[in-house]
Amino acid sequence: MKSNSPPSFAQKSRLMQHLRSLFLRLAIALPAFTLISLPGIANMPFLTDKEDTVMDFLMEAFQASPPPGTAVPLAFIDIDDRTYRIWDDPLQIPRDKLLNLIQFAVAAEARIIYVDVELSRPSCDATADRKLIEYITNYRSAHLPPLILPQGIRHGLDETESPSLRPSFLDDALNQPNSRVLRSSALFDLDDADGVLRRWRIFEKIGDTDEGILPSTQLLVYRLLRDSVHAPQIV
């Protein structure tokens, strides 16, 4: 049978030592955690360098790990150098070939399509441009997957001028009611020390009002996959 005798003095002493040690660690850790959570402290170079080193190591260590069962599969359609040479090295992505790739992704029943191509200026092929405009204009059926295009941003010439959307030859097509075409920001920050891309910008503030928010591509895709709704648009 177990003894129900009260704890000895030595046991009480060890317990008090453990409690004092725990409280001391909490007294140090909690204020430190609060400090490093503040943006001004968390972004200090001596802390971000350590964080980057740890994250780089973890990403390299787990880069070959199989994705979890809940991961959404991705498919990349790469316009590589060989393809570009076959296309006779055009100055811009040919709009007719780009349209074919978009239609291919739609036919493959992709959940979301992101076109990582700069489309602010028309190409030298007016016919191909017109067909792309017509396709984007009529891209409104509810069964179509969201089609995301990167939105160019024009930054102010000085601190008093707010960023604005860069005009595009597709603007009228993009502003159609019930359009399934969305715009996002593809801006990112390169590390000054080694030039490595580690941080994407979550959103861009456009104009002088709080309603002018352009989400990043990552944030927009996350919301579409999570909520199956349209992302906020620039007002």
Side-chain angles (χ1 to χ4, degrees):
M1 296 179 62
K2 293 183 178 180
S3 174
N4 293 325
S5 59
S8 64
F9 176 79
Q11 291 175 325
K12 290 182 179 180
S13 178
R14 286 195 297 270
L15 177 61
M16 292 302 297
Q17 289 179 355
H18 287 310
L19 290 176
R20 282 196 296 267
S21 176
L22 175 62
F23 287 136
L24 179 61
R25 293 176 182 178
L26 289 176
I28 296 174
L30 290 179
F33 179 78
T34 302
L35 283 175
I36 64 176
S37 298
L38 299 175
I41 302 295
N43 294 328
M44 295 182 69
F46 77 93
L47 287 178
T48 56
D49 290 346
K50 305 299 185 295
E51 178 187 7
D52 291 344
T53 300
V54 172
M55 292 303 298
D56 289 349
F57 171 77
L58 291 176
M59 293 180 68
E60 183 176 356
F62 292 99
Q63 64 181 349
S65 301
T70 57
V72 178
L74 299 176
F76 291 93
I77 301 178
D78 183 24
I79 303 175
D80 57 10
D81 291 340
R82 184 181 300 276
T83 302
Y84 224 67
R85 289 187 181 182
I86 294 175
W87 291 353
D88 198 22
D89 294 316
L91 295 177
Q92 297 172 303
I93 299 293
R95 306 307 190 215
D96 55 341
K97 293 178 172 56
L98 178 63
L99 179 56
N100 289 337
L101 292 176
I102 295 174
Q103 292 173 327
F104 172 79
V106 172
E109 299 182 352
R111 290 182 62 183
I112 297 174
I113 301 172
Y114 174 63
V115 181
D116 190 15
V117 176
E118 207 282 327
L119 292 172
S120 62
R121 294 288 181 263
S123 69
C124 299
D125 188 341
T127 301
D129 286 346
R130 185 170 60 255
K131 290 182 179 180
L132 180 61
I133 292 174
E134 291 175 356
Y135 185 81
I136 297 298
T137 301
N138 297 317
Y139 199 88
R140 291 180 286 178
S141 178
H143 75 275
L144 292 171
L147 175 62
I148 304 174
L149 302 180
Q151 171 63 55
I153 298 175
R154 177 179 290 167
H155 293 280
L157 298 177
D158 53 50
E159 296 181 355
T160 62
E161 185 179 355
S162 300
S164 60
L165 300 182
R166 185 182 299 278
S168 168
F169 76 103
L170 292 173
D171 281 343
D172 290 340
L174 291 169
N175 293 328
Q176 294 297 315
N178 302 318
S179 176
R180 298 286 288 171
V181 185
L182 306 174
R183 291 181 278 191
S184 68
S185 168
L187 297 183
F188 53 84
D189 293 320
L190 289 178
D191 194 297
D192 293 335
D194 54 15
V196 174
L197 171 58
R198 293 188 178 92
R199 294 171 178 85
W200 291 86
R201 295 161 66 152
I202 298 178
F203 64 87
E204 298 298 320
K205 188 176 184 301
I206 306 298
D208 299 322
T209 66
D210 293 336
E211 297 178 344
I213 298 296
L214 182 68
S216 67
T217 303
Q218 293 84 346
L219 181 62
L220 179 53
V221 169
Y222 173 79
R223 180 173 176 182
L224 289 171
L225 290 176
R226 181 180 176 87
D227 300 329
S228 298
V229 296
H230 282 288
Q233 295 296 291
I234 298 299
V235 178

